[in-house]
């Protein structure tokens, strides 16, 4: 995602707010930043321009030696989450510099948010794909089974892409064009309209459209 600015956050939950006309707006509450710049990556050295940022401080006692060595350059504080964001000019940033919510976003901005969806384990075709299933009477021997999955003579195999039972959820999903309803800089809290992927306290990557 070239030339994209962003910040890391975590989902706190959902609520609603009211606009000036008294209409209820469903919003997701996100704790976003502050993030610390851990490393600058340049086209000359790494082959691309980016900055590496850390979010949510981690106790020093929980750091292993490689982590402690990496974090030492940016001030010694450890972080639970590390992410790279592409930028056009990495030299305009400094290692150890903090990126706050107010520097990245404003009320009314349209943003993209990506996160990891809730894992639901192994599921059948009815829950996973919305199949109707068979009759529910006692005489029916076909309730929640997938039914035929292909022909026997030709092509004598199951075609790729066939909707089948399997693992559901736990996928990286990006929700696009979400509007920023409110920003509370003193609390590092962001309110966006609608839902975002993942469970409460899950990591979110917040990308600006600029």
């Amino acid at each position: 995602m070239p030339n994209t600015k962003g910040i890391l956050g975590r989902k706190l939950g959902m609520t609603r707010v009211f606009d000036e006309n008294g209409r209820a707006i469903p919003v997701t509450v996100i704790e976003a930043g502050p993030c610390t710049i851990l490393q600058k990556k340049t086209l000359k050295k790494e082959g691309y321009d980016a900055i590496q940022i850390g979010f949510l401080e981690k106790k020093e006692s929980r750091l292993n030696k490689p982590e402690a060595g990496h974090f030492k350059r940016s001030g010694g504080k450890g972080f639970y989450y590390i992410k790279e964001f592409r930028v056009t000019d990495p030299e305009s940033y400094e290692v150890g510099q903090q990126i706050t919510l107010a520097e990245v976003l404003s009320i009314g901005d349209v943003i993209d948010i990506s996160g990891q969806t809730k894992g639901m384990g192994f599921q059948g075709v009815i829950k996973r794909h919305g199949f109707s299933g068979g009759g529910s009477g006692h005489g029916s021997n076909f309730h929640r089974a997938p039914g035929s999955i292909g022909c026997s003579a030709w092509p004598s195999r199951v075609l790729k892409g066939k909707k089948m039972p399997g693992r559901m959820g736990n996928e990286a999903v990006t929700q696009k064009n979400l509007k920023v309803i409110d920003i509370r800089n003193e609390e590092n809290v962001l309110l966006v309209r609608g839902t975002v992927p993942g469970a409460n306290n899950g990591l979110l990557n917040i990308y600006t459209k600029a």
Side-chain angles (χ1 to χ4, degrees):
M1 196 172 289
N3 306 328
T4 301
K5 292 182 181 179
I7 194 169
L8 296 179
R10 63 172 175 168
K11 181 177 177 180
L12 298 181
M14 289 196 68
T15 185
R16 61 180 174 175
V17 294
F18 296 91
D19 63 10
E20 59 276 6
N21 297 318
R23 291 176 297 187
I25 302 172
V27 294
T28 302
V29 185
I30 301 169
E31 178 189 352
C35 297
T36 302
I37 298 178
L38 307 177
Q39 186 180 0
K40 295 188 291 184
K41 299 199 173 185
T42 61
L43 185 64
K44 184 176 179 181
K45 189 174 180 182
E46 282 85 11
Y48 61 98
D49 291 327
I51 55 171
Q52 185 188 86
I53 63 175
F55 174 62
L56 278 186
E57 286 190 19
K58 196 177 189 180
K59 290 181 180 178
E60 189 177 346
S61 60
R62 292 186 174 271
L63 301 178
N64 57 35
K65 286 188 178 180
E67 288 176 333
H70 183 65
F71 293 138
K72 189 174 182 181
R73 299 183 218 169
S74 57
K77 291 182 179 178
F79 299 91
Y80 280 99
Y81 302 112
I82 299 173
K83 174 75 177 176
E84 287 184 7
F85 285 95
R86 296 290 184 99
V87 293
T88 52
D89 184 17
E91 296 302 329
S92 62
Y93 299 89
E94 296 297 330
V95 175
Q97 174 187 338
Q98 277 203 337
I99 299 175
T100 61
L101 185 57
E103 296 171 8
V104 179
L105 297 173
S106 303
I107 295 174
D109 285 354
V110 177
I111 59 177
D112 296 342
I113 298 180
S114 64
Q116 202 78 2
T117 61
K118 292 180 182 180
M120 300 185 185
F122 191 98
Q123 298 296 337
V125 291
I126 289 181
K127 182 168 183 178
R128 192 179 187 210
H129 300 297
F131 282 21
S132 298
S136 57
H138 289 295
S140 172
N141 291 322
F142 180 69
H143 298 291
R144 300 177 69 90
S148 173
I149 59 174
C151 301
S152 61
W154 186 90
S156 296
R157 63 187 175 88
V158 178
L159 296 176
K160 286 186 177 180
K162 191 71 178 175
K163 292 181 178 179
M164 299 278 282
R167 184 176 68 92
M168 184 178 177
N170 195 27
E171 297 174 330
V173 171
T174 301
Q175 199 85 0
K176 295 190 173 185
N177 301 323
L178 296 169
K179 186 177 180 181
V180 177
I181 299 297
D182 195 11
I183 293 176
R184 300 172 185 178
N185 293 316
E186 64 280 358
E187 300 169 353
N188 298 312
V189 165
L190 168 70
L191 302 183
V192 297
R193 185 176 193 133
T195 62
V196 301
N200 290 350
N201 293 319
L203 177 68
L204 299 173
N205 302 320
I206 303 165
Y207 301 98
T208 66
K209 292 286 192 179

